[in-house]
């Protein structure tokens, strides 16, 4: 059994801001808690904010990485539960970007006492296409090719990975601003996380989520189409969807004002 | 034939079309503004099919993600990118792996050079397969080297190694741990009377009982012949005694000739700095005492009465 201090340092937990409500932020694949740094200034005056890195990402304790545990998103959801337990958090709002939307849903289903609301930024329960009922956006072959490209470019790639995905409108200005967000990741761990992310299918989970859920989707996102957001909305009974006029997969970095406003309105 | 004179080389004589590689220019919106002849001669695109189009047109779906998340950010940030491998479509929709270099000029135009990487790609595939195979084998060997063949529990070597780590961790976090030496009573009689195969069955079944009962964080091993060693992290005396009592009941479900198997358990609880050897010696002494006091019981180290 790991004690709370071990978990806080294992997951590089940081607490900022103050307020009656606590927000727990879960980052997406290929990055770490840094990806929230444009958003938190808008929220820290009203909320207590807990940031962390999943084991294997950012400044987490990589020696605690267990290939078996993190083969599936359940392993990452256990990180969320353990961080909550270590900090004695309950009744919190979990804000998850991309794959963390589903990780948060898994944790919320497992421990409804800990998580009372979910906010998903560009989530996808399943990246694979299952025609004709579901279009996740990718055929299996596409995703296998993506993992193979990660392997073939792994020298360099994992040291210099821009948060997936800034979008087509890649102005030099935006990239310059995001340069501090390039994440150095262990390539083997990154690939394992990629496999857990891109080959998972958690559509079955959505109907079981009873917490109020806000879905923020980008209008033009290479990874999660608007129709995926609509699917999530339709499956989670207690959810609402906001489609943001934007390009790219990282709304919290490219459009922090709109994202923070949506979060504040939703929680209030 | 006249001798080659570099001063005679003019752009009209030799152009970028002479090189056996693709050359492509995009503007700041990723629109293709120029392609060299290679795209027509080797990749079977007609120039008017590409110029004016977004570069996405020639990239596969996975390459687009790489392009957006890695290639373009790198080019914008570092002003260049070298030796990226992507997969592009030729004019007939066939996929071709390409090695790509790119640099950006002050006007924001990006100059791409693309080299056929079909053979290199095959080599990478073979290397990746070999790496995966080696990883798989290493994992298998590691697991074999750590496991007792008969019971599937940790073996003695692995138990020694992991106990040391767990003990250090418990000392750091100031948690108590319990160590149990479990010895099957009269095992020699079982072997001598019913044969070694029956003895093996008992060991196997008992191993299964221990495995099913233990928590995920407990270390459970077959330490020697009929001796099992269990380390329980974050467990105090009360919890350990309950655990032992329950074990006696569960182990009694293993039968030999319709009689329940019994065990003697030596138990010790860590307090402050103790080496694994110290703890093991204590638990081992306790199990001898349990035997001396009539077997089928748990003896706590340093405790005068039995539990």
């Amino acid at each position: 059994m790991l004690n709370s201090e071990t978990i806080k340092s294992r997951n590089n937990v940081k607490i900022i801001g103050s307020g009656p409500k606590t927000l727990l932020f879960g980052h997406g694949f290929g990055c770490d808690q840094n990806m929230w740094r444009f958003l938190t200034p808008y929220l820290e005056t009203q909320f207590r904010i807990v940031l962390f890195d999943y084991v294997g990402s950012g400044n987490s304790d990589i020696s605690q990485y267990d290939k078996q545990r993190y083969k599936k998103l359940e392993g990452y959801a256990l990180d969320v539960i353990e961080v909550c337990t270590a900090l004695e958090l309950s009744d919190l709002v979990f804000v998850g970007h991309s794959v963390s939307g589903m990780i948060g849903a898994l944790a919320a289903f497992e421990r409804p006492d800990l998580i009372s609301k979910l906010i998903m930024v560009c989530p996808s329960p399943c990246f694979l296409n299952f025609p004709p009922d579901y279009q996740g956006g990718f055929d299996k072959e596409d995703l296998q090719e993506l993992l193979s490209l990660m392997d073939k470019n792994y020298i360099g790639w994992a040291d210099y990975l821009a948060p997936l995905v800034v979008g087509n409108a890649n102005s030099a200005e935006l990239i310059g601003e995001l340069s501090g967000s390039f994440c150095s990741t262990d390539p083997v761990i990154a690939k394992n996380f990629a496999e857990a992310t891109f080959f998972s299918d958690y559509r079955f989970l959505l109907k079981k989520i009873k917490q109020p859920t806000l879905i923020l989707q980008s209008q033009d996102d290479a990874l999660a189409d608007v129709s995926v957001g609509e699917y999530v909305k339709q499956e989670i009974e207690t959810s609402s969807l906001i489609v943001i006029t934007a390009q790219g997969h990282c709304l919290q970095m490219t459009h922090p004002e709109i994202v923070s406003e949506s979060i504040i309105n939703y929680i209030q | 034939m006249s001798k080659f004179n570099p001063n005679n080389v003019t752009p009209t004589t030799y152009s970028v079309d002479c090189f056996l590689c693709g050359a492509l220019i995009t503007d700041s919106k990723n629109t293709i503004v120029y392609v060299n002849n290679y795209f027509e001669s080797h990749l079977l695109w007609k120039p008017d099919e590409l110029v004016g189009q977004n570069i996405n047109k020639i990239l596969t779906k996975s390459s687009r993600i790489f392009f957006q998340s890695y290639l373009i950010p790198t080019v914008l940030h570092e002003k260049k990118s070298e030796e990226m491998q992507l997969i592009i479509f030729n004019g007939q929709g066939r996929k071709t792996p390409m090695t790509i270099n790119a640099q950006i000029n002050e006007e924001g135009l990006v100059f791409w050079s693309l080299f056929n990487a079909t053979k290199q790609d095959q080599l990478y595939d073979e290397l990746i397969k070999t790496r995966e195979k080696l990883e798989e084998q290493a994992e298998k060997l590691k697991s074999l080297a750590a496991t007792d063949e008969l019971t599937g529990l940790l073996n003695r070597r692995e138990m020694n190694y992991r106990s040391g780590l767990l003990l250090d961790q418990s000392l750091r976090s100031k948690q108590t741990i319990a160590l149990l030496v479990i010895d099957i009573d009269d095992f020699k009689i079982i072997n001598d009377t019913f044969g070694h195969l029956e003895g093996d069955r008992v060991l196997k079944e008992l191993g299964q009982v221990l495995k099913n009962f233990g928590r995920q964080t407990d270390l459970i091993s077959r330490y020697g012949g009929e001796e099992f060693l269990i380390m329980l992290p974050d467990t105090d005396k009360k919890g350990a005694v309950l655990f032992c009592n329950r074990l006696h009941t569960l182990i009694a479900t293993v039968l030999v000739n319709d009689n329940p198997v019994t065990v003697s358990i030596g138990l010790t609880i860590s307090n402050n700095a103790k080496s694994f050897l110290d703890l093991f010696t204590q638990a081992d002494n306790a199990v001898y005492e349990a035997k001396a006091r009539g077997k089928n019981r748990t003896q706590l180290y340093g405790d005068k009465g039995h539990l």
Side-chain angles (χ1 to χ4, degrees):
Chain A
M1 202 66 69
L2 291 164
N3 69 14
S4 66
E5 284 312 311
T6 314
I7 288 171
K8 278 191 232 167
S9 83
R10 182 193 72 178
N11 287 98
N12 187 29
V13 173
K14 300 265 159 63
I15 303 172
I16 55 173
S18 60
K21 262 276 175 218
T22 300
L23 307 181
L24 177 63
F25 281 89
H27 64 82
F29 163 73
C31 206
D32 56 35
Q33 58 184 273
N34 252 320
M35 64 156 41
W36 300 110
R37 70 200 162 96
F38 301 115
L39 183 67
T40 49
Y42 294 94
L43 298 168
E44 62 192 350
T45 51
Q46 298 183 43
F47 301 102
R48 183 173 176 232
I49 294 172
V50 180
L51 302 160
F52 70 98
D53 299 332
Y54 290 110
V55 173
S57 303
N59 285 322
S60 66
D61 178 0
I62 298 223
S63 71
Q64 300 285 321
Y65 187 80
D66 174 343
K67 208 174 160 189
Q68 273 320 104
R69 167 169 168 165
Y70 297 105
K71 244 191 170 93
K72 289 189 148 200
L73 297 188
E74 279 81 352
Y76 292 93
L78 195 53
D79 274 21
V80 173
I81 292 171
E82 286 173 351
V83 166
C84 292
T85 314
L87 297 175
E88 294 178 3
L89 300 172
S90 60
D91 187 29
L92 58 82
V93 180
F94 183 85
V95 186
H97 174 236
S98 189
V99 66
S100 261
M102 286 310 113
I103 294 172
L106 282 165
F109 174 67
E110 192 69 30
R111 293 292 302 272
D113 54 318
L114 301 179
I115 298 172
S116 55
K117 276 195 176 95
L118 285 167
I119 294 174
M120 302 176 173
V121 184
C122 303
S124 172
C126 175
F127 289 94
L128 283 164
N129 294 329
F130 286 95
D133 305 328
Y134 180 78
Q135 289 295 320
F138 297 87
D139 289 329
K140 199 170 177 192
E141 197 194 0
D142 299 326
L143 293 176
Q144 274 162 344
E145 196 180 283
L146 178 63
L147 289 182
S148 156
L149 283 179
M150 288 177 183
D151 256 331
K152 287 167 186 166
N153 291 296
Y154 97 96
I155 295 179
W157 165 69
D159 287 336
Y160 205 39
L161 180 66
L164 275 175
V165 170
V166 179
N168 253 329
N170 37 54
S171 72
E173 201 182 326
L174 178 61
I175 298 290
E177 211 174 319
L178 297 182
S179 64
S181 313
F182 286 111
C183 295
S184 178
T185 317
D186 179 299
V188 177
I189 292 179
K191 197 192 158 199
N192 220 17
F193 195 3
E195 271 179 313
T197 303
F198 292 116
F199 287 103
S200 60
D201 182 357
Y202 287 96
R203 286 175 296 161
F204 70 93
L205 177 70
L206 301 176
K207 275 207 189 308
K208 298 181 183 173
I209 300 301
K210 301 295 171 218
Q211 286 91 338
T213 302
L214 173 66
I215 306 147
L216 299 174
Q217 208 76 17
S218 162
Q219 200 172 46
D220 179 10
D221 178 352
L223 281 173
D225 195 71
V226 173
S227 67
V228 173
E230 284 163 355
Y231 178 88
V232 178
K233 184 194 175 308
Q234 176 199 315
E235 293 295 294
I236 303 180
E237 231 172 77
T238 49
S239 69
S240 41
L241 168 70
I242 299 176
V243 177
I244 294 176
T245 313
Q247 283 193 324
H249 186 62
C250 294
L251 295 177
Q252 74 279 27
M253 302 184 96
T254 53
H255 297 75
E257 301 95 340
I258 304 176
V259 172
S260 59
E261 206 181 292
S262 310
I263 291 176
I264 293 167
N265 289 341
Y266 191 69
I267 294 175
Q268 281 167 355
Chain B
M1 191 176 281
S2 63
K3 216 174 166 187
F4 176 73
N5 178 355
N7 294 328
N8 288 341
V9 176
T10 63
T12 50
T13 321
Y14 300 106
S15 76
V16 73
D17 286 334
C18 300
F19 293 92
L20 195 58
C21 65
L24 179 147
I25 304 173
T26 50
D27 67 11
S28 58
K29 291 195 168 108
N30 295 328
T31 304
I32 299 171
V33 296
Y34 168 81
V35 290
N36 72 346
N37 190 44
Y38 184 87
F39 280 85
E40 191 168 4
S41 59
H42 286 77
L43 295 172
L44 313 176
W45 286 101
K46 296 196 177 76
D48 59 357
E49 287 178 315
L50 294 180
V51 173
Q53 300 292 315
N54 190 289
I55 193 170
N56 274 342
K57 185 164 184 183
I58 62 166
L59 299 174
T60 64
K61 216 164 200 176
S62 62
S63 293
R64 275 180 220 169
I65 291 181
F66 248 76
F67 184 81
Q68 284 185 22
S69 66
Y70 179 73
L71 201 45
I72 280 288
T74 310
V75 169
L76 290 173
H77 199 247
E78 301 288 310
K79 308 294 173 209
K80 63 172 187 176
S81 166
E82 290 180 284
E83 289 186 68
M84 266 295 285
Q85 185 162 333
L86 290 184
I87 299 167
I88 69 162
F89 288 119
N90 76 2
Q92 297 179 341
R94 211 175 130 181
K95 290 180 179 181
T96 313
M98 300 292 258
T99 297
I100 296 180
N101 295 336
Q103 62 180 348
I104 188 166
N105 75 359
E106 281 172 1
E107 296 163 47
L109 293 175
V110 184
F111 296 78
W112 307 88
S113 38
L114 299 87
F115 303 86
N116 187 349
T118 309
K119 287 179 195 149
Q120 192 180 313
D121 191 63
Q122 280 170 8
L123 173 67
Y124 283 166
D125 278 336
E126 280 178 32
L127 285 174
I128 290 164
K129 268 189 204 133
T130 308
R131 190 189 69 189
E132 280 169 359
K133 200 170 154 192
L134 283 175
E135 276 174 1
E136 204 178 295
Q137 282 175 348
E139 219 160 277
K140 210 169 171 182
L141 286 174
K142 202 175 152 195
S143 151
L144 279 176
T147 312
D148 172 61
E149 192 187 358
L150 185 69
T151 58
L153 300 175
L154 300 179
N155 64 18
R156 185 183 182 111
R157 189 200 301 125
E158 189 67 10
M159 185 67 185
N160 285 340
Y161 172 65
R162 289 211 211 166
S163 300
L165 296 181
L166 189 57
L167 188 60
D168 287 347
Q169 198 187 332
S170 301
L171 288 173
R172 274 200 306 275
S173 54
K174 297 193 171 62
Q175 289 174 343
T176 54
I177 57 172
L179 188 72
L180 284 67
V181 172
I182 302 169
D183 196 278
I184 304 178
D185 295 331
D186 303 318
F187 189 68
K188 193 173 178 316
I189 296 175
I190 299 176
N191 267 338
D192 291 349
T193 316
F194 303 101
H196 284 93
L197 280 181
E198 179 65 356
D200 282 355
R201 181 192 62 84
V202 170
L203 290 169
K204 237 176 173 167
E205 277 191 32
L206 201 143
Q208 207 52 49
V209 167
L210 299 181
K211 209 179 206 170
N212 293 343
F213 182 54
R215 298 169 298 183
Q216 215 183 353
T217 46
D218 298 338
L219 298 180
I220 305 172
S221 68
R222 181 176 171 213
Y223 207 62
E226 70 265 33
E227 192 177 70
F228 296 84
L229 193 62
I230 299 185
M231 190 177 256
L232 308 173
D234 196 15
T235 304
D236 59 8
K237 180 181 156 188
K238 197 176 156 202
V241 169
L242 272 172
F243 186 94
C244 291
N245 288 342
R246 187 93 182 93
L247 266 190
H248 284 295
T249 315
L250 284 171
I251 289 171
T253 60
V254 182
L255 301 177
V256 174
N257 199 27
D258 287 337
N259 291 316
V261 169
T262 66
V263 296
S264 299
I265 303 178
L267 167 66
T268 189
I269 309 291
S270 74
N271 42 47
N272 299 325
K274 282 267 169 20
S275 73
F276 171 64
L277 193 63
D278 285 341
L279 274 184
F280 176 71
T281 310
Q282 291 176 2
D284 201 41
N285 287 339
V287 83
Y288 273 101
E289 211 175 322
K291 294 269 185 201
R293 287 178 184 240
K295 304 173 186 169
N296 191 18
R297 69 194 58 219
T298 296
Q299 179 66 44
L300 176 67
Y301 174 75
D303 196 33
K304 295 229 162 54
H306 75 84
L307 299 164

